[in-house]
Amino acid sequence: MPTVSSNSGALTAAAPEKSDHFVNAGRSVYYGLTVTIADAIGGFWLSVLFQALIVVWAIGLLVQLFAPRHPFLAPVIVIALALFTSISFFASFLMPDFLTGIVVIAAAALLTGWPRMRLAVRCQWLMLLLFGLISHNTNIVITGMLLAVGFLLVWIVGRRAPLAGGLALVATLAAALGLQAAAGLAVSMVYHAESSNPPFLTATLAEDPPGYHYLRDTCPDNGFRVCKFIGQLPEDSNDFLWSHEPGRALYATASDELRSTLSSEQFPFALAVLRHDFFGQLAASFDHFVAQLRQFSLLAVAYSPGLNAHLLELLPRDRTDELRASRLYEGRLPLSRFNLVNRVAIALSLVGIVIFLIRDFPRSGTVDLSRQLWLFVMLVILGVVFNAAVTGVLSNVTDRYQARVIWLIPAAALLIAASRRGALLSALRRARAPSPGDRNVAPAVT
């Protein structure tokens, strides 16, 4: 059975979690629709096929962009990624996590390779980018950061401003924000309930010493409703948001009115904490970023006993039978071995990427394709870093968040190898081909 989470049941309903007067908009309606339609036609495995095809599609477009004369290398890269990286786990995970990596490579490709793309190829990249953006809110933030930094990097190193690619990204981001707003409005109208995201920022800040000290020193006079839980703080941010256990539950078991207020006050609360202890919170957020950058274990996809029990209650009966029969549910999947292989692949890939970035730094006379590949790899690395910053600082530190994009490191290394192999094959063909003058020379006789 495909991997599911505690949110997958809500996704198959094509709508976020809801109660009588409150709608949790933390999950995308658009991604939920794809899972619902696929489930109605062919079950969960059709969703896995759909997600795998998106990954194959993106890799094929990359090979077409950077090794255009050797398309046969695309399936080689796909197989290598499936065997040695985390993407096979996330392509079979009924969550939009795998799309973060797709968004990063789509944005990087559009910024670096736009001038060489045909119209049809540009449209394909924009379609992949838009679907990724409307499937998860963090993808919008990461793409915005890539656009800002990537535009300057391509302009300086590439010696030309990527105006067309940059404008295409801006338009796609605007379209995604519009579609997200429309979805929120539609859900609120259908369910006659308020739609809002969970208070990720409040949960994270209340766990950090600066945020907790601010609440301890100023509650209840500061007016924030999170003061209601000051006796349970500081608490792990995951428990703050999702726990149902007495003594640990906060947001998940709160009333609709209180959940709505906690969501709406998270940004004013963040500003208040920063005013109270700016440098302390800056140091705490940086620690989260560094910790998230290092945490990408595949053991995060394992089912816990508590999650197993929750999934059995959440999923339909025919799905629970599939769940019980899966190797992951039974604990028979060798995740430790997969995790070791994944880490070795990442380490080797990083060595190759560092050598490439140093040796092939664009200089005067560097051909456009090599310059664009160098810039693309740099943007991919930045995308992995930005993902750690966004999730570690704005949410909580967990292996799953970084594991969803860490496969981009081996993907970039394989793309470098494909480009170099393509150049090598072309050189060999030219060396073997006889020159026009040689065709008229008689063979030597001994």
Side-chain angles (χ1 to χ4, degrees):
M1 179 178 176
T3 310
V4 294
S5 77
S6 57
N7 294 294
S8 295
L11 291 174
T12 56
E17 294 180 54
K18 66 175 288 295
S19 58
D20 292 337
H21 305 288
F22 179 81
V23 175
N24 179 357
R27 297 300 174 198
S28 167
V29 172
Y30 300 106
Y31 177 78
L33 280 172
T34 66
V35 177
T36 301
I37 294 171
D39 183 46
I41 296 173
F44 283 161
W45 281 111
L46 191 58
S47 292
V48 174
L49 177 61
F50 173 69
Q51 295 182 176
L53 287 176
I54 288 179
V55 176
V56 173
W57 184 9
I59 297 300
L61 289 175
L62 280 181
V63 173
Q64 181 182 349
L65 185 62
F66 293 108
R69 296 184 180 181
H70 307 282
F72 67 90
L73 293 174
V76 176
I77 294 177
V78 169
I79 293 172
L81 292 175
L83 291 176
F84 303 117
T85 75
S86 61
I87 188 55
S88 54
F89 288 88
F90 284 91
S92 60
F93 188 25
L94 296 185
M95 290 283 283
D97 290 9
F98 80 103
L99 287 167
T100 303
I102 302 299
V103 162
V104 169
I105 61 177
L110 288 167
L111 281 172
T112 58
W114 181 275
R116 295 192 297 110
M117 294 180 186
R118 300 191 307 272
L119 177 61
V121 175
R122 292 171 180 169
C123 291
Q124 291 176 64
W125 278 121
L126 291 172
M127 288 170 57
L128 289 173
L129 178 62
L130 181 61
F131 181 60
L133 293 176
I134 62 177
S135 295
H136 206 288
N137 291 334
T138 59
N139 294 345
I140 294 178
V141 181
I142 293 169
T143 303
M145 296 170 70
L146 266 179
L147 173 60
V149 177
F151 187 91
L152 292 175
L153 182 66
V154 175
W155 191 358
I156 295 170
V157 179
R159 300 186 177 182
R160 65 163 66 98
L163 293 177
L167 288 174
L169 258 66
V170 170
T172 310
L173 281 168
L177 290 170
L179 288 170
Q180 290 280 44
L185 180 62
V187 168
S188 297
M189 293 176 63
V190 169
Y191 292 110
H192 304 288
E194 183 180 354
S195 173
S196 60
N197 290 296
F200 292 106
L201 264 178
T202 298
T204 299
L205 293 173
E207 182 184 3
D208 291 337
Y212 170 68
H213 292 159
Y214 168 75
L215 291 173
R216 185 193 60 188
D217 296 343
T218 62
C219 282
D221 297 335
N222 57 36
F224 292 117
R225 294 293 297 278
V226 70
C227 288
K228 175 181 174 67
F229 306 106
I230 187 64
Q232 294 177 233
L233 299 175
E235 185 174 50
D236 178 80
S237 57
N238 270 325
D239 290 335
F240 184 109
L241 292 169
W242 314 122
S243 177
H244 288 76
E245 297 180 26
R248 301 176 68 185
L250 281 84
Y251 175 77
T253 58
S255 66
D256 293 339
E257 183 272 333
L258 181 54
R259 293 172 75 184
S260 177
T261 303
L262 288 172
S263 296
S264 62
E265 74 178 17
Q266 58 181 323
F267 291 105
F269 174 64
L271 291 175
V273 172
L274 288 173
R275 286 195 296 266
H276 182 75
D277 187 1
F278 177 82
F279 292 105
Q281 187 55 54
L282 191 66
S285 296
F286 182 77
D287 289 342
H288 291 321
F289 158 65
V290 174
Q292 183 63 85
L293 197 61
R294 296 193 309 235
Q295 291 190 208
F296 48 84
S297 172
L298 292 181
L299 300 179
V301 304
Y303 292 153
S304 65
L307 179 58
N308 284 347
H310 186 53
L311 290 174
L312 292 176
E313 295 177 359
L314 183 67
L315 296 172
R317 178 59 183 273
D318 58 335
R319 296 291 182 264
T320 61
D321 293 339
E322 291 183 57
L323 178 65
R324 291 179 189 273
S326 68
R327 296 179 67 187
L328 186 60
Y329 180 88
E330 296 178 347
R332 294 187 295 110
L333 198 65
L335 289 177
S336 297
R337 295 178 186 176
F338 287 128
N339 189 51
L340 177 61
V341 170
N342 182 50
R343 289 183 177 275
V344 171
I346 293 165
L348 294 176
S349 299
L350 281 173
V351 171
I353 288 174
V354 169
I355 293 173
F356 165 76
L357 292 177
I358 295 174
R359 190 186 65 182
D360 288 44
F361 181 83
R363 300 173 178 83
S364 59
T366 302
V367 297
D368 283 346
L369 183 58
S370 297
R371 189 185 301 271
Q372 289 167 7
L373 178 61
W374 191 94
L375 288 166
F376 174 83
V377 172
M378 274 297 300
L379 291 181
V380 167
I381 300 299
L382 287 173
V384 174
V385 173
F386 291 160
N387 177 78
V390 171
T391 57
V393 173
L394 301 183
S395 185
N396 57 298
V397 177
T398 181
D399 288 280
R400 190 190 109 210
Y401 288 156
Q402 198 65 3
R404 69 181 184 175
V405 297
I406 202 66
W407 63 273
L408 293 176
I409 303 296
L414 288 169
L415 190 62
I416 294 169
S419 176
R420 290 295 177 267
R421 179 170 175 78
L424 178 61
L425 290 174
S426 297
L428 288 174
R429 289 194 185 100
R430 288 194 300 269
R432 290 175 180 175
S435 63
D438 293 338
R439 294 173 184 170
N440 299 322
V441 176
V445 178
T446 59

